[in-house]
Amino acid sequence: MAANEEVRIHPTAIIEAGVTFGRGTSVWDNVHIRRDTHLGEECIVGEKTHIAYEVRIGHRVKINAMVYICYGVTIEDGVMISAGTIFTNDVFPRATTPDLSQLRSSDPDEETRETLVGAGATIGAGCTIGSNLRIGRFAMVGMGSVVTRSVPDFHLVVGNPARSVGAVCRCGHPIARWQSGETPRDADVTCQKCEALYRLAAGTVSELAPQPEAVNA
């Protein structure tokens, strides 16, 4: 484990070999982080969370209590993962070989798929995230949702299976709403909270005046 005096790790946490932390990161009680995972600067990992091996987590990521992050997940900067969220990575999961004579290995194989959570995204409490997906930048997944397909940037998705019902600002406030399955109308919209400007075109949400991303020394 690579750490320094600026990293706070609860004494009950289990940190395996090769795990690295950026400065200012905190890991709380009964967390288990598997080998060769990397967490960036100023992250928070809530109690009883399990992070599998070789996971990559960016800077200023908040992971609440009792989250499960499996192998093959990459989380970019500024992501919020709320309590009880579960990631998955196997398309056709089975415990044994077809004749039931032996356990299948838990190591990655041809059925293992990876998932990316884009910068600034929020995943609400109690969500289940399928495999082979991209959760877009600053997207928001409503609590209790089951995500089975990729989520575009700035989109709000809810339900089981999760469907797009609107768009959200960088600040998290809604900027547009539509019915599930409906294609949103093209328009320029303004966030009523922070006055940021966005364009909706052919279902894509983009910033009219993009803010610069944080740069780490």
Side-chain angles (χ1 to χ4, degrees):
M1 177 185 68
N4 56 51
E5 65 278 3
E6 295 180 302
V7 175
R8 181 175 181 178
I9 300 175
H10 195 277
T12 61
I14 300 172
I15 310 298
E16 295 188 8
V19 174
T20 58
F21 301 97
R23 58 186 172 84
T25 286
S26 297
V27 177
W28 294 101
D29 55 291
N30 296 291
V31 168
H32 186 174
I33 303 178
R34 298 287 315 275
R35 60 174 174 81
D36 301 323
T37 281
H38 172 75
L39 292 91
E41 299 177 0
E42 300 177 19
C43 294
I44 298 174
V45 183
E47 62 187 66
K48 300 179 178 66
T49 283
H50 182 103
I51 303 175
Y53 55 91
E54 299 178 14
V55 170
R56 293 293 176 263
I57 298 172
H59 304 293
R60 292 169 291 282
V61 172
K62 286 187 176 182
I63 302 170
N64 286 168
M66 295 177 286
V67 170
Y68 175 72
I69 303 175
C70 59
Y71 169 85
V73 174
T74 297
I75 299 170
E76 294 184 342
D77 295 351
V79 169
M80 172 76 176
I81 301 178
S82 301
T85 292
I86 298 172
F87 286 83
T88 65
N89 65 3
D90 197 335
V91 179
F92 305 111
R94 289 294 196 195
T96 70
T97 54
D99 62 3
L100 310 183
S101 65
Q102 56 184 326
L103 284 171
R104 286 184 58 195
S105 171
S106 296
D107 293 334
D109 60 20
E110 67 278 4
E111 309 296 353
T112 303
R113 300 291 186 270
E114 298 184 355
T115 288
L116 172 69
V117 184
T122 294
I123 298 176
C127 290
T128 301
I129 311 298
S131 59
N132 197 30
L133 303 176
R134 178 183 181 272
I135 309 296
R137 296 173 60 254
F138 296 98
M140 185 170 289
V141 179
M143 62 183 181
S145 296
V146 178
V147 181
T148 59
R149 61 179 65 180
S150 292
V151 179
D153 296 349
F154 297 102
H155 275 234
L156 167 66
V157 300
V158 297
N160 179 7
R163 293 290 184 264
S164 179
V165 295
V168 292
C169 178
R170 275 181 177 251
C171 73
H173 284 251
I175 56 174
R177 296 278 191 177
W178 51 79
Q179 295 296 315
S180 175
E182 181 179 270
T183 300
R185 291 183 299 174
D186 293 355
D188 291 349
V189 295
T190 301
C191 176
Q192 299 302 304
K193 175 69 174 180
C194 70
E195 300 184 345
L197 303 176
Y198 294 85
R199 173 161 293 163
L200 279 65
T204 297
V205 183
S206 57
E207 297 174 280
L208 288 178
Q211 299 183 28
E213 302 293 351
V215 176
N216 293 279

